[in-house]
Amino acid sequence: MDTPHDELLVYGRLDVWIGKESEFAWRKIFQQIGPPAGAKEGLVIASPSTEEPDYFYTWTRDSALVTSVALNNLLRTNDTAIEPVLREYAYSQLALQHMCNPSGCHEWELRGLGEPKYHADGTAFMGNWGRPQRDGPALRAITLTGFADYLLERGAPGDIKFVHEHLYELSMPPMSVIKADLEYVAKYWDQPSFDLWEEIRGKHFFTLLVSLTALRKGARLAIQLADAPAASHYTEQGDRIMKELRNFIDPDTGRILAYENPGQWNRTGLDAAIPLAVLAAGTSGVDEWGPANDYVLATLGAYVDSFRDQYAINVEERPKAVATGRYAEDIYDGIGISTGNPWYLTTLAVTHVLSRASAYYKFTPAEVLISSVSLPFWAQFDSTLTVNEVVPVRSEKWWKLMDELEIWSEGFWEVVRKYQGVGGQLSEQFHRRVAWSVVGIPQGAKDLTWSYAAFYLASVDRAYYKSGEVPWPPMV
């Protein structure tokens, strides 16, 4: 059995376990791409699970996020053995873009690009589903634009040819994969779509933030490739999205709402979609929507708090790090409708955002400015803090905040370790009940590829932070 650690490591040093599990996650990711997974070349399966639930499909969103792991590794290590994965991904996605499906066709104003999932053999899924989903093209553009940037910087004739012929070709209507996605995002970002959980049709913070990122990155690429009119168009649409995003801030609390008017869905709007959006967009520091931004931290703290009394496994952890799910009102149990459970990837998203926030404060270094919005977040570490207080860099109070922030962040890793599956396996969810075994009770789709991608990427950022080196720019 392909296991990352024995029982000793379950109880041993956290660093050792994370290292072993990260290696295991890396292997699992590539076992679930293309022919080894029973899928067409270049396609990422969501999970090998074929019943209760059947996740043996390729989702545009999941595939882009998972393939970004390969890009992340390529950019950090320059290991060219990874390149074929990205090239095959590009080829496979171009084929999907040109396939007619229930969302439409490529030649019908690109509408088919909003199709959320396909069969693992690369054929269209014709069943009922929540469509369109507009985050997929944006995420795919983010991943492949990063690959195009890498190839152009390397500058080999074959690299430049591949970019021009397969990734970004200037002609209209767009026939290359990145160009088509960017045109789709620019055209449809202000139209309703289903959210990343495939449940609510409307406008969503996650979809808009990744759309903004795709257009900004796409504009820079267009300038490099002498497509100035497109760059101007993408920039203009990105500016419009930025204004729209600010409408998702609750004026009373300063928290970011995941969707418009959450009360109509009997929800608070506190949702894992917010930290996941921050990570997928690769925002940094205290920039708008960055991991250390007041609105983001306030939302993250309130999101975690919403789960403290939600699951039985969290009761004994209060006020420490706890297991988190999609949103507190969730009723999807991984197979059907009953009560929601914690997810590995959402719990990992919390520590991942906290790690990036910590890196900003420590490596800039930066003082901590306490606002009325951020006070509830920082006060959990120091109740003496007041609004408008400035905590100087490397002061005693600053070090206390940094230490407490790191301890809290590490606690979410401990949650994942405590409730991992047998041999370190990560399914979609783990049960909300108290587990009497030494591992968690897996729930939902087994070996969820996105769970392994989330673990690997979070572990990479954590390793840079722990090393004391200035981290390389966040990459998704």
Side-chain angles (χ1 to χ4, degrees), residues 392-474:
V393 172
R394 298 194 178 94
S395 64
E396 183 178 348
K397 183 173 283 191
W398 186 88
W399 280 115
K400 178 184 178 181
L401 291 178
M402 294 304 104
D403 290 345
E404 291 293 333
L405 187 62
E406 181 175 349
I407 290 169
W408 197 46
S409 178
E410 293 288 87
F412 294 95
W413 285 106
E414 292 286 8
V415 169
V416 174
R417 174 162 72 160
K418 184 175 182 179
Y419 297 110
Q420 65 187 309
V422 174
Q425 292 180 321
L426 301 178
S427 53
E428 179 184 67
Q429 308 172 24
F430 50 105
H431 208 284
R432 60 194 288 139
R433 296 197 312 264
V434 175
W436 299 108
S437 61
V438 296
V439 293
I441 303 173
Q443 188 80 4
K446 64 182 179 182
D447 288 323
L448 190 74
T449 318
W450 190 0
S451 293
Y452 291 118
F455 191 101
Y456 183 83
L457 290 174
S459 72
V460 167
D461 270 11
R462 178 185 180 275
Y464 271 90
Y465 172 71
K466 288 286 189 178
S467 71
E469 301 174 6
V470 175
W472 69 302

Side-chain angles (χ1 to χ4, degrees), residues 18 62 81 93 185 225 240 256 319 324 369 372 385:
I18 291 175
D62 297 38
Q93 297 306 297
V185 172
L225 299 176
R240 290 181 60 198
I256 304 168
T324 69
L369 307 177
S372 59
L385 292 169

Side-chain angles (χ1 to χ4, degrees), residues 167-292:
L167 298 183
Y168 192 105
E169 200 269 325
L170 276 61
S171 66
M172 291 290 287
M175 302 303 291
S176 55
V177 61
I178 295 176
K179 179 72 169 176
D181 278 337
L182 292 174
E183 291 295 323
Y184 179 90
V185 172
K187 184 178 181 65
Y188 293 111
W189 69 264
D190 63 344
Q191 300 299 307
S193 70
F194 279 85
D195 66 327
L196 79 166
W197 308 130
E198 307 183 310
E199 295 173 339
I200 294 178
R201 182 179 174 86
K203 290 188 177 180
H204 312 284
F205 181 85
F206 180 93
T207 303
L208 289 175
L209 185 56
V210 297
S211 295
L212 171 62
T213 301
L215 291 173
R216 283 180 168 174
K217 289 179 178 290
R220 291 194 291 269
L221 179 63
I223 290 172
Q224 278 189 277
L225 299 176
D227 194 3
S232 177
H233 179 51
Y234 301 154
T235 299
E236 178 184 353
Q237 295 306 309
D239 291 342
R240 290 181 60 198
I241 294 175
M242 177 57 85
K243 293 179 182 177
E244 184 83 14
L245 281 166
R246 293 173 186 141
N247 294 332
F248 287 82
I249 299 174
D250 184 325
D252 296 324
T253 64
R255 298 168 186 168
I256 304 168
L257 305 178
Y259 17 79
E260 294 179 312
N261 303 317
Q264 67 180 311
W265 310 104
N266 295 317
R267 300 186 189 178
T268 64
L270 292 171
D271 193 300
I274 305 306
L276 288 170
V278 170
L279 296 170
T283 54
S284 60
V286 293
D287 294 344
E288 200 155 21
W289 321 123

Side-chain angles (χ1 to χ4, degrees), residues 284-287 290-298 353-371 373-375 377-378 381 385 389-395 397-403 405-406 465 469-471:
S284 60
V286 293
D287 294 344
N293 176 273
D294 283 0
Y295 297 125
V296 171
L297 291 179
V353 171
L354 291 175
S355 180
R356 288 188 174 180
S358 296
Y360 164 75
Y361 282 110
K362 282 198 171 182
F363 294 124
T364 302
E367 60 192 10
V368 179
L369 307 177
I370 307 300
S371 69
V373 171
S374 66
L375 178 61
F377 177 84
W378 291 111
F381 308 127
L385 292 169
E389 182 174 353
V390 178
V391 182
V393 172
R394 298 194 178 94
S395 64
K397 183 173 283 191
W398 186 88
W399 280 115
K400 178 184 178 181
L401 291 178
M402 294 304 104
D403 290 345
L405 187 62
E406 181 175 349
Y465 172 71
E469 301 174 6
V470 175

Side-chain angles (χ1 to χ4, degrees), residues 128-144:
N128 292 329
W129 209 254
R131 51 170 70 92
Q133 294 178 28
R134 306 193 196 281
D135 59 333
L139 290 164
R140 181 166 56 201
I142 291 171
T143 296
L144 286 176

